[in-house]
């Protein structure tokens, strides 16, 4: 399961549009929307500080949260957020209503382990990461915090594909028509030393 759940307080927004959004931001709030679950979208305002802290803590889009909207508690999964390109503060957030068995598509980060056990990396090969995150189908109550790619035994020219990764129970890759590459061990620009390459093959 991903990061521990958390709660955010919110209030409903009566007015929508650029003018009211600017007014909210001046008051330390940002506009947000809760949608999905066959219900009408709900326009809310939440604390800029609270949301920004959650975004910077990591795992924001893979952690189910509770939003307390005027006393009504709604379980959500953050789906998207906009940052101001210049000042790097949060402008807007979209939340998806979920229950424990809601199936969602999430981007889950890939963690690489055992670099020191890769003969290819030992002789100067470079880990070339093709995908830092993988889109998975998962139930909202069981989103993995990350998936693990094991580099042990990989030589220069070898790669890790999605089929080499043990996915958590109840999850499956969104891409199903090919065994896509997660990372490869690439030859460094200067090449690897001959004697080291031979030693790694023994």
């Amino acid at each position: 399961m991903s990061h521990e759940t958390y709660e955010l307080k919110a209030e409903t927004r009566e007015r929508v549009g650029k003018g009211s959004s600017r007014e909210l931001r001046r008051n330390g709030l940002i506009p947000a929307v809760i949608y999905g679950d066959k219900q009408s979208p709900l326009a809310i305002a939440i604390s800029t500080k609270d949301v920004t802290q959650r975004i910077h803590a990591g795992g924001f889009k893979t952690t189910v949260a509770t939003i307390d909207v005027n006393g009504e508690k709604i379980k959500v999964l953050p789906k998207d957020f906009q940052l101001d390109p210049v000042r790097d503060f949060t402008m807007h957030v979209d939340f998806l209503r979920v229950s424990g068995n809601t199936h969602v598509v999430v981007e889950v980060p890939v963690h690489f382990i055992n670099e020191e056990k890769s003969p290819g990396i030992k002789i100067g090969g470079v880990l070339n990461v093709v995908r830092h995150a993988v889109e998975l189908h998962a139930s909202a109550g069981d989103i993995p915090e990350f998936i693990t790619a094991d580099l042990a035994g990989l030589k220069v020219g070898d790669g890790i594909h999605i089929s080499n990764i043990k996915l958590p129970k109840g999850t499956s890759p969104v891409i199903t028509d090919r065994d896509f590459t997660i990372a490869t061990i690439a030859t460094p620009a200067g090449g690897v030393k001959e004697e080291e390459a031979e030693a790694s093959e023994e």
Side-chain angles (χ1 to χ4, degrees):
M1 178 62 185
S2 189
H3 297 263
E4 285 181 23
T5 186
Y6 58 91
E7 186 170 303
L8 294 170
K9 286 208 177 300
E11 54 194 59
T12 51
R13 277 189 293 145
E14 300 306 323
R15 295 186 303 126
V16 293
K18 281 191 174 168
S20 64
S21 297
R22 276 198 295 268
E23 190 182 326
L24 285 174
R25 293 188 192 106
R26 276 199 299 272
N27 293 325
L29 299 169
I30 51 169
V33 174
I34 301 175
Y35 67 95
D37 202 23
K38 301 188 177 86
Q39 296 183 45
S40 301
L42 180 63
I44 58 169
I46 47 180
S47 158
T48 308
K49 184 179 164 212
D50 291 351
V51 171
T52 305
Q53 274 179 343
R54 289 293 167 186
I55 290 170
H56 290 305
F60 184 63
K61 288 179 166 180
T62 55
T63 306
V64 173
T66 303
I67 295 187
D68 181 338
V69 185
N70 303 337
E72 182 194 354
K73 294 187 188 275
I74 303 170
K75 281 207 175 310
V76 297
L77 183 68
K79 286 305 283 179
D80 202 11
F81 58 88
Q82 277 176 294
L83 294 176
D84 182 285
V86 180
R87 289 170 290 172
D88 192 36
F89 67 84
T90 315
M91 303 267 296
H92 185 274
V93 187
D94 288 337
F95 294 101
L96 177 70
R97 271 190 192 89
V98 296
S99 57
N101 55 5
T102 304
H103 282 269
V104 292
V105 171
V106 284
E107 261 203 356
V108 177
V110 181
H111 284 194
F112 294 92
I113 60 168
N114 291 328
E115 282 192 41
E116 71 285 355
K117 294 181 182 173
S118 158
I121 290 175
K122 272 187 183 166
I123 62 163
V126 177
L127 177 63
N128 173 37
V129 180
V130 179
R131 290 174 184 269
H132 290 277
V134 174
E135 278 199 323
L136 297 179
H137 292 288
S139 71
D142 219 10
I143 297 169
E145 192 172 337
F146 57 85
I147 55 176
T148 303
D150 191 346
L151 304 174
L154 294 190
K155 301 185 178 75
V156 170
D158 287 348
I160 286 191
H161 297 85
I162 190 65
S163 61
N164 304 127
I165 291 181
K166 189 176 180 209
L167 292 176
K169 191 178 170 192
T171 66
S172 62
V174 171
I175 298 171
T176 55
D177 60 348
R178 63 188 187 278
D179 188 15
F180 56 88
T181 304
I182 304 293
T184 58
I185 308 295
T187 310
V192 292
K193 296 184 186 130
E194 286 292 318
E195 63 272 19
E196 288 186 346
E198 283 166 19
S200 83
E201 283 169 15
E202 283 170 11

